[in-house]
Amino acid sequence: MKDVSLSDVAFSKKSWFLFFVFLFIFSFSLSNCAKKIPQAELDAAKQALERAKSVGADKLEEYKTAEKYYNDAQSLVKEKKYDEAKTKAIVSKEFAELAIKRWQEELERRRKEEAQAPKEKVEIQEEELTYGKPELPVLKGINPNDIEGTSTLGRGYILKQLRKIYFDFDSYSLTDKAKSDIEYNVGILKKILEENPNVSVLIEGHCDERGSNEYNLELGWKRAQAIKRYVELLGIPEDRIQTVSFGEEFPEDPCPPPQCNDESKWSKNRRGVFVITVK
Amino acid sequence: MLKVFFLLLGIISLEQEEKLIIDITSPKYKPVKVILESSKDTSSISEMIKRNLKVIGYVELVESSPDVLLSLSKEGDFFVLKGFFGKGKDPIFILRAKSESPTAIADALSNQIISKITGLKVDIFGRKLFFLSNEEGKKEIYSMDFLSGKREKFIQAKSFIPFFSVSPDASKIALVHFNGKEYSLYIADSSTKKLYTTSIKFGMFLSPYFSDNDNLIIPWNDGKGANIYVLNLKEKSFKKITSGNSDVMGKITPDGKSLIFVSGRLGLPQIFVKDLKNGRESVLPLSGNYNTSPDISPDGKKIVFSKLEGNRFSIYIYDFDRSEERPIITNFGSAENPTWTPDGNFIIFSSNIDGDYDLYITDQYGNFKNKIFDTQKDETMGFLK
């Protein structure tokens, strides 16, 4: 029994030694763990982002922040800064989940609003189809040679010096070129509007022939609105600006797919047109 | 054993016996080869029946070796159509029709022939087809009796009509007309052609849809974006039912419980379902990133819709029970605006495979795709009522 006991003591000393060795290796491994790609955190963040996108929360700022953190995390992984990447991935997931929560709250708010939306009374009366007779403005200070022609459905004049504003496919964002062309146009328009108090600028939004008629009518409206907002920012008063969408109804260079597949034609059709019309 | 029953259709009566059925769902499906024989006093009706049968691809009219021989004769006041598997054999069905209108006789017999061959309850010939045509250089509403009538312009547009819808009983037509500044909504009485409009005089109305004869589902962009509203023509009320600010093409399911609509709220257009009781909305699990133009089948179990694939639209059907989609028209120009026929058996759509847009008819398996008529003018958005 005693031997055994001695042996136990001896083993115990060895055990302590091994324990410290193990502790050293474990600590070393732990420190090494932080040097590994935080794949689980990255995957969790990615899944949360996908979930947020699938429910429609990707328009929220929280989603954009989550996306930024996720991209940062990926960049940090490339730089082998795994600790920081891990933190960014965790924060990305938190923001993506916050975006989902906010979006659900927003949907709930809309649901309540719709449920409580009053039935507005409308009058329904007999009336013929109307179409305001196109009335072309009499322009002061404009050389007739500067008039390129009348606009879609003859609502006003298109002037040679006014630039058309072009858009990317399926986009209503103003590119740098579009902004500079609008700035150029506004410089000319200010003078025309000042000399002709009875005229307005009409902004037409057009699309190429890809997509459905409805979607393109909405897209043309968004394009006209985007131009209008920038024109207003540049100092033209709102009551001198009109907008209209023609969707894909009046392409400048018709190219109906799939028979026609010519980006150079489509790009001409994705346009905003400035028209001088009666106020 | 002879099974006889009478179908009353206006002043027409039909008698028929037994059924001949081909399986239109089978991948091995082939049209039935048919010869239609007529006598001197039945030849004009026979020609009308042939024209009708040609547009539905279940029947192939041949000169010899038919699967089915049809014989049209006159017995007293009745036109009698007998179907045989071969000469000298007993008829497999007999149809009798009586009317003062030869067209009505031809339409009723045509519906019954297709019904006999397929086992479907077919009711398309003799109905009214409404569509948009660019015949005079601007989109306007036209109608014609399917397939016998002449095209007739419904109303003279002052500018153009991008969208319209016909009420289930065809008594009203809702149309959107560009008035020079806005896209205005009008409701037309089909018989008197009197037009009515609402007191909402601004914004942009988009594609209307009659959920029943008194309720119009109408997207309206009030300057903030398009949302879907219900305009009750009896109550004269207007109520918002979606708030996505990019919602269009709303249609109510036949049970009245759900709204199917298209929204760009996720970026590109996708088809959504909204539970009208609890307000919950979900996107249909469809492939691709651009799905639009849904039309709900009369039984409410399926929708037919367009999917943008590359630069062209294809037509798909989504089955709610199976939660799955399947293509029915692909690589056929750009195939757009599919709508069900009221009997739920066929789909009318437009395609520009021949250059301009024409109206075509297919079935829900895409077994055939036949042009309804050809005018070299753009025809789109066909509704059979």
Side-chain angles (χ1 to χ4, degrees), chain B residues 191-258:
Chain B
S191 49
T192 64
K193 297 196 177 178
K194 274 188 183 171
L195 286 158
Y196 300 85
T197 188
T198 71
S199 44
I200 302 161
K201 297 290 183 193
F202 69 100
M204 184 163 75
F205 284 100
L206 295 149
S207 59
Y209 178 78
F210 279 99
S211 60
D212 56 47
N213 294 321
D214 294 319
N215 284 289
L216 190 68
I217 312 299
I218 178 87
W220 179 52
N221 183 333
D222 60 355
K224 293 174 190 156
N227 291 303
I228 297 173
Y229 293 74
V230 179
L231 173 64
N232 186 303
L233 299 172
K234 259 190 178 168
E235 289 179 6
K236 297 182 181 173
S237 64
F238 193 60
K239 190 178 189 308
K240 189 178 184 181
I241 53 169
T242 71
S243 315
N245 285 340
S246 55
D247 303 339
V248 292
M249 294 179 178
K251 293 182 177 178
I252 306 270
T253 51
D255 61 10
K257 289 181 179 170
S258 307

Side-chain angles (χ1 to χ4, degrees), chain A residues 133-171:
Chain A
K133 194 181 169 189
E135 193 184 336
L136 293 169
V138 179
L139 295 173
K140 285 181 202 165
I142 298 285
N143 185 333
N145 293 331
D146 289 340
I147 295 174
E148 190 179 302
T150 53
S151 68
T152 311
L153 298 175
R155 306 299 304 170
Y157 289 120
I158 296 176
L159 304 183
K160 284 176 188 168
Q161 64 263 49
L162 289 177
R163 293 175 183 167
K164 285 176 185 143
I165 311 302
Y166 294 101
F167 292 85
D168 290 336
F169 172 61
D170 196 44
S171 168

